[in-house]
Amino acid sequence: MTFTDGHVDLDEHAEGLPDLPADRYNDRELSWLAFNERVLDLARDSKRVPLLERARFLAIFSGNLDEFFMVRVAGLKRRIAAGVAVPSNSGMMPGALMETILDRTRDLVNEVTRVFADEIRPELAANGIQILAWTELNDEERQKMTALFENRIFPVLTPLAVDPSHPFPYISGLSVNLAVLVMNPTTGVRQFARVKVPTILSRFVSLGNDRFIPLEEVIAPHLGQLFSGMEIVAHSTFRVTRNEDVEVEEDDAENLLFALEKELLRRKTGRPPVRLEVEADINEGMLELLISELDIDEGEVFKLPRPLDLRGLFSLADLNRDSLKYPSFLPKTHPELAKVETAQPADMFAALKSRDVLLQHPYDSFATSVQRFIEQAAADPAVLAIKQTLYRTSGDSPIIDALIEAARAGKQVLALVEIKARFDEQANIAWARKLEKAGCHVVYGVLGLKTHCKLSLVVREEPAGLRRYCHIGTGNYNPKTARLYEDMGLLTSNAVITEDVAKLFNHLSGMSQETSYRRLLVAPHSVRKGLISAINREINNHRAGLPAGIRLKLNSIVDETITDALYRASQAGVPVDLWVRGICAVRPGIPGVSDNIRVRSILGRFLEHSRLFWFANGGHPQVGIGSADLMHRNLDRRVEVIVGLANPAHIAQIEQLFDQAFDEGTAAWWLDGEDWRQHTTNAEGEPLLDMQEHMISQMGQRRALER
């Protein structure tokens, strides 16, 4: 059974059902903060999560929060400044929402610093990994750091004073800085200066023997060398977060590349601050100056113990201490793509002629499946064309290399590079130019939309005629994140699906107005309509006494129209299971509204990233995978794809994932209204099943049996 477009009229399906309450949505921004607290829960989980992985989760929390302020809080602040008095989906006005966000964030960062100071840092020290202050170094280490300062650090430092002839310097976003108060010993005049902590060295400098010191702790004792003849009265670290979202007018697609480059330059030089982090004991005069010069509200100031910016813990988490990490894991080649009898890679085209292959990364190797598919296509003389979407990829991408080699070999190569992928804009511009230089046809998608779908299409000349092969995925073509993100993908030569994908590429690269597809739902035209049609069919089936049920796995769900459709399904008696990693506007457990909705979240060593769609469909399940989350941006402002699955084994595989995720014996977070509760042990205090570790074990056993 495949997905089809349908009407979106909910009224006929709401007949006889009570009205939906006004307060039925969880607030998007507060739900995101709840997600980041679940990341913090992993850092607090000393029973299930190894020590260095807990440190990594603190770094992930910090990076997540930076991006939240750079984009979401910045946008909210901009709306408040513009006087836009439009309530959020939860009914909160912008000012009240900002106040709530800042209060909640303050609670969370206070807890993060407590976890680091009281749990992670002491446990690291107990395992021989120490993060030290200057006063804790021995004489030999101080001499070593002094030499490092003089040889590597001092030459690149630029102290910037503030006085009538020196205006307050621009503070770049997310940089760690030293605020310094100096005094002229002759005149007694005090002066403020700023020293930016350079990024040429690691955030935590190695002293050897797993002993580390924050870089600013190396600079601070040597400030006298920067301000010779002056007395250092006080110094303190601070950090500014700025609005880093990119806004580009797309009225001229031909100049989009140049417009984006100009906007990226403005990002570096002219974005207003949205958060100021300072040391808790900062000199009050320096703090007042920072607040005044940065023109930031006092409520946006966060006083924290040193060290600021715990993203530096990423480097410690990568230490070669296997006993303090998750057990090593090596992805395996999918059995339907493996040549057991030889060490040679499988012939992808021969394998896909006889069957579709459903992949689940990182358990199934990306390198021997998707990457192999594109590399073989690039090297195969029978391949005439390769068409590829690129949203985010790695710095040394073999995918890019394969496309370049294909173009150089004379194949037609179309690369649809989404240069507006947030925070990857600069890298994607570089890839676009590199691909163009090699002879690839590079396009940037449809005017006004981001191309977020994950598609690869190969056209091959065979004895029976031209044949197409394609991959449709839920994740980016990035070999590095494919080892860290859980994603799914379909490799197929099915003529209907590949024709649909070919039509879509023609739409994206040319002037085709194609909106009708047989096995695909494509946003912004048909994803919302197709999913609501499927939801409404479940309501009808339930009323007719047929099997009915809805199961969705998503990164986030915010869209009010789909949320209301799910509420109507719940009111009608249809069981609804939502497996959501991040934001969830759906509020389960509202009497008479969402009694039949369950929401679970699973976080762990892999980032749950796949989007899965399952509908009971009267006993003949309708199942799809795709790139779309259920958010306004995905459904209205992006090109997204969901492909329907037909193979019973693939459908069963998806069903097993949902069964495991919603089993009460599986560790997960459960959403009750707007509150998340973590479930990690049973009534007897025994640990619940870690689904991701179970998947690793299960995949290993399956591979062994198949061999």
Side-chain angles (χ1 to χ4, degrees), residues 449-524:
L449 302 175
K450 280 188 180 180
T451 304
H452 189 250
C453 52
K454 324 299 181 182
L455 304 174
S456 183
L457 179 70
V458 172
V459 182
R460 190 170 188 264
E461 189 169 34
E462 299 182 355
L466 293 183
R467 185 165 188 155
R468 300 186 185 105
Y469 300 81
C470 76
H471 171 264
I472 303 175
T474 69
N476 298 311
Y477 291 98
N478 187 322
K480 291 184 177 178
T481 58
R483 295 179 66 106
L484 302 172
Y485 289 17
E486 180 276 334
D487 270 303
M488 301 196 79
L490 180 70
L491 284 166
T492 182
S493 64
N494 178 282
V496 175
I497 295 177
T498 57
E499 182 180 0
D500 277 354
V501 172
K503 287 181 179 179
L504 179 54
F505 268 114
N506 289 340
H507 172 62
L508 295 174
S509 64
M511 298 301 293
S512 163
Q513 296 300 309
E514 184 68 61
T515 58
S516 178
Y517 303 94
R518 295 164 67 186
R519 287 281 293 275
L520 304 182
L521 293 180
V522 179

Side-chain angles (χ1 to χ4, degrees), residues 170-173 242 244 263-271 426:
Y170 181 81
I171 310 298
S172 53
R242 293 185 177 275
E244 299 285 354
E263 182 64 17
L264 289 173
L265 180 62
R266 195 169 79 86
R267 175 197 272 180
K268 295 179 180 179
T269 58
R271 292 306 187 104
Q426 199 70 58

Side-chain angles (χ1 to χ4, degrees), residues 192-213:
F192 175 90
R194 170 258 191 161
V195 178
K196 181 177 179 179
V197 176
T199 56
I200 57 171
L201 297 172
S202 174
R203 180 76 180 83
F204 293 113
V205 180
S206 175
L207 299 161
N209 300 317
D210 285 345
R211 288 163 63 86
F212 299 87
I213 182 171

Side-chain angles (χ1 to χ4, degrees), residues 13-20 539 543 567-573 592:
H13 297 89
E15 184 178 349
L17 301 176
D19 293 338
L20 296 175
I539 295 175
R543 287 171 171 168
Y567 283 146
R568 292 303 188 192
S570 171
Q571 287 180 314

Side-chain angles (χ1 to χ4, degrees), residues 376-384 411 460-461:
Q376 182 178 336
D380 188 345
V383 169
L384 304 179
K411 299 177 184 355
R460 190 170 188 264
E461 189 169 34

Side-chain angles (χ1 to χ4, degrees), residues 391-392 418-426 428 450:
Y391 191 75
R392 302 184 198 274
E418 181 46 77
I419 58 173
K420 301 188 298 298
R422 182 178 288 149
F423 302 124
D424 273 347
E425 300 97 343
Q426 199 70 58
N428 285 2
K450 280 188 180 180

